[in-house]
Amino acid sequence: MSADLERLANGVLWPGFLGTEAPDWLLDELRDGLAGVVYFGQNVGDGLADLSDAILAANPDALIGIDEEGGSVTRLESASGSTVPGAAQLGLVDDLIATEMTGAELARRVRAIGANVILGPVADVNTDPSNPVIGVRAFGADEHLVSRHVVATIDGIQDGAVAACVKHFPGHGDTHVDSHHALPEISLDIEEFERVHLEPFRAAIDAGVDAVMTAHIVVPAWGEAPATLNPRVLGMLRDWGFDGVVITDALDMAAIRETVGIDGGAALALAAGADLLCIGNPTNPGEAAQVDQDRRDFLAARDGIVAALRDGSLARERVEEAAARVATLAAKLRSAADRHQDTADEFDAAAIVRRAVSVVGGAPAVASEVAVVDARRRSSLAVDSAAGYVSGALAADGYRVRLDVASNPVSMQDRVLDEVAAASGTTVLLIDRPDADAAQRALVERAAERDPGAVVVNVGLPARHPLPLPTIEVAAASRLGALVAREALLGRTAPPERVDTAG
């Protein structure tokens, strides 16, 4: 009986794992019906296609998912930075053909390494400029713009024989807390929330999206439980006619791990209507992670499901229904892959990003060399905000220094500014939160007084309030975005000047 329940539970579990090779425990579980795996940056190496082959040999119906959004979030290019336009850049260009082509390129890259599910596009409407987890991962702050680009991305991905998974339902765009670390609560008026934040998800379902990922957020008007564990919230998807796979955001994130636990969260999520449980990134526990954290988290989830099945708090029929949806998607993807043929369409990612990048506050003087002060926020579990590839691509062989304005005193920051000003080249201040981070803005203001020829490169949301230096707005912390900004600094391209109408 225990083996039967464990196999049933395996059919709805989607773990991450440590290393660039599939561990024995994972292959054993795949042979015993495990639904598949999720890749993270730690799994990406030269043999990623071989890794996928090993997983599919153990279970030919395995769903292999990866967070590959483009822009600021990449797993395939986690070491060097994304070379695909990000959502905010696509929203700024507002060219649906470019967005669909970007979705198709993401599908091509993911299919090439043997994966078949993209955890994207982001369907959140980023209405809170201080949002610590979404920001430039969203297409924008207008629900209509976000909706049309979500649909275009879905079309591009799913035409490429890969499943799209829109996230993070019912909408993570109006939060000021990162659910990797705590449980966010939506304080927005419920009528406005429904009108704005649900709209892109409705559009995605109408477009035939294969999967929807839940958010670990609480909407008090719909109950005290986070959406991932809330049958009222997940029931909306079925009420709208969605019969695809409901995937949870990672159950090892603090919003679940530190409240109901992975075991309790797994059982509650299934009971609420989820179909596939992402156990996610085994590095989520941070310094508390064990060497076998991947297997520990997987067993915690499975044991929680089995225990709930045994005590009757989780109906077997509900788990069987969830497993059937997962199996249906796997069969659909296998069939689509057999029929799919790559086309010869050329994809010029740099051309799209050049259209998105703009200069505000007057054109900077053409630089011969660049010296970079990287003052971006620290990396988060969602976004590698401090990744060195951005400043590296921007500076090339020039001077660059990392400056943590959140922890370093002003006196030290000013010494760094003076050192950089004395170095060869134009001083470039690399920032990502000019409106939400007072310390970043203060650094720019002091730099403008000490070095009027300095330039700002902003890879976060475009500044709503003018900065005192010419600013190149990139809207993505990516290698490609940094390379396009460098072109502009060296006068090799001329991004359009944007008239700033903000007060």
Side-chain angles (χ1 to χ4, degrees):
M1 181 65 174
S2 176
D4 173 60
L5 294 180
E6 288 178 357
R7 183 173 180 84
L8 176 60
N10 272 1
V12 298
L13 290 174
W14 215 31
F17 61 96
L18 295 166
T20 55
E21 296 182 0
D24 290 341
W25 72 263
L26 181 65
L27 294 175
D28 288 342
E29 300 298 346
L30 285 162
R31 295 183 191 103
D32 198 30
L34 183 64
V37 301
V38 183
Y39 286 157
F40 290 90
Q42 64 196 359
N43 306 124
V44 175
D46 293 337
L48 192 53
D50 292 336
L51 174 60
S52 298
D53 287 343
I55 289 167
L56 293 169
N59 180 358
D61 290 320
L63 296 178
I64 302 177
I66 188 166
D67 256 328
E68 196 63 25
E69 299 173 12
S72 298
V73 176
T74 178
R75 304 293 181 245
L76 294 177
E77 299 180 287
S78 57
S80 57
S82 178
T83 54
V84 177
Q89 292 173 329
L90 292 167
L92 288 167
V93 173
D94 200 11
D95 178 343
L96 297 182
I97 294 176
T99 297
E100 184 173 351
M101 291 179 67
T102 300
E105 176 64 11
L106 289 171
R108 186 194 65 77
R109 295 184 181 200
V110 166
R111 194 176 56 254
I113 55 96
N116 51 16
V117 181
I118 291 177
L119 298 177
V122 169
D124 303 310
V125 184
N126 197 76
T127 52
D128 185 347
S130 64
N131 194 318
V133 68
I134 304 300
V136 294
R137 297 170 65 195
F139 291 106
D142 176 82
E143 67 271 24
H144 304 297
L145 178 142
V146 172
S147 295
R148 60 180 177 263
H149 285 277
V150 163
V151 169
T153 307
I154 291 168
D155 288 345
I157 292 172
Q158 295 189 174
D159 285 350
V162 173
C165 176
V166 290
K167 58 189 183 184
H168 308 80
F169 183 77
H172 215 308
D174 199 78
T175 57
H176 58 275
V177 172
D178 185 344
S179 53
H180 289 84
H181 303 294
L183 184 60
E185 182 174 304
I186 299 295
S187 57
L188 193 66
D189 174 78
I190 191 60
E191 290 185 2
E192 182 179 354
F193 186 84
E194 291 179 350
R195 176 179 58 81
V196 174
H197 294 276
L198 296 185
E199 181 57 32
F201 294 96
R202 292 192 189 97
I205 290 169
D206 289 344
V209 72
D210 285 324
V212 176
M213 176 170 279
T214 67
H216 306 325
I217 60 173
V218 174
V219 182
W222 297 334
E224 297 179 358
T228 298
L229 313 179
N230 191 324
R232 178 175 178 181
V233 176
L234 301 191
M236 292 179 188
L237 296 169
R238 304 305 180 197
D239 292 342
W240 295 344
F242 179 62
D243 196 36
V245 177
V246 175
I247 302 176
T248 69
D249 208 343
L251 297 179
D252 50 311
M253 290 162 60
I256 301 296
R257 178 191 286 275
E258 296 180 9
T259 54
V260 297
I262 294 176
D263 54 348
L268 289 170
L270 283 166
D275 302 308
L276 186 58
L277 310 184
C278 177
I279 309 164
N281 190 341
T283 60
N284 268 338
E287 294 181 359
Q290 303 294 312
V291 293
D292 60 345
Q293 193 68 51
D294 48 359
R295 187 167 185 266
R296 286 172 180 258
D297 289 350
F298 164 72
L299 290 175
R302 191 174 70 183
D303 290 349
I305 296 168
V306 170
L309 286 167
R310 282 178 173 158
D311 69 21
S313 58
L314 177 61
R316 183 183 181 107
E317 293 76 15
R318 169 76 273 274
V319 185
E320 290 173 340
E321 175 191 50
R325 285 202 180 99
V326 173
T328 297
L329 176 57
K332 173 184 175 181
L333 292 174
R334 287 188 72 182
S335 176
D338 289 341
R339 299 191 313 270
H340 182 76
Q341 292 184 337
D342 280 319
T343 62
D345 292 342
E346 290 188 7
F347 178 68
D348 191 341
I352 296 171
V353 171
R354 289 187 189 106
R355 294 166 63 192
V357 171
S358 62
V359 176
V360 179
V366 175
S368 57
E369 294 183 63
V370 173
V372 177
V373 180
D374 185 353
R376 292 172 296 156
R377 60 177 165 166
R378 297 172 183 171
S379 295
S380 71
L381 288 168
V383 182
D384 195 3
S385 309
Y389 51 69
V390 178
S391 60
L394 194 58
D397 296 328
Y399 185 95
R400 61 173 168 140
V401 61
R402 172 79 179 145
L403 180 59
D404 187 346
V405 294
S407 60
N408 293 137
V410 169
S411 59
M412 179 180 175
Q413 295 178 37
D414 286 346
R415 284 199 302 272
V416 170
L417 289 175
D418 291 341
E419 289 171 4
V420 174
S424 297
T426 298
T427 297
V428 173
L429 302 171
L430 177 59
I431 63 172
D432 60 358
R433 291 173 70 80
D435 293 319
D437 189 330
Q440 283 189 14
R441 181 171 285 270
L443 179 74
V444 173
E445 290 171 349
R446 294 199 310 280
E449 295 175 355
R450 306 168 91 89
D451 185 0
V455 182
V456 174
V457 171
N458 176 26
V459 295
L461 293 173
R464 294 173 299 153
H465 306 292
L467 292 164
L469 289 171
T471 302
I472 300 175
E473 297 285 5
V474 180
S478 67
R479 178 159 58 103
L480 178 56
L483 290 171
V484 170
R486 180 173 171 81
E487 288 179 349
L489 287 164
L490 300 182
R492 295 173 184 167
T493 63
E497 283 199 49
R498 177 163 61 84
V499 177
D500 199 325
T501 58

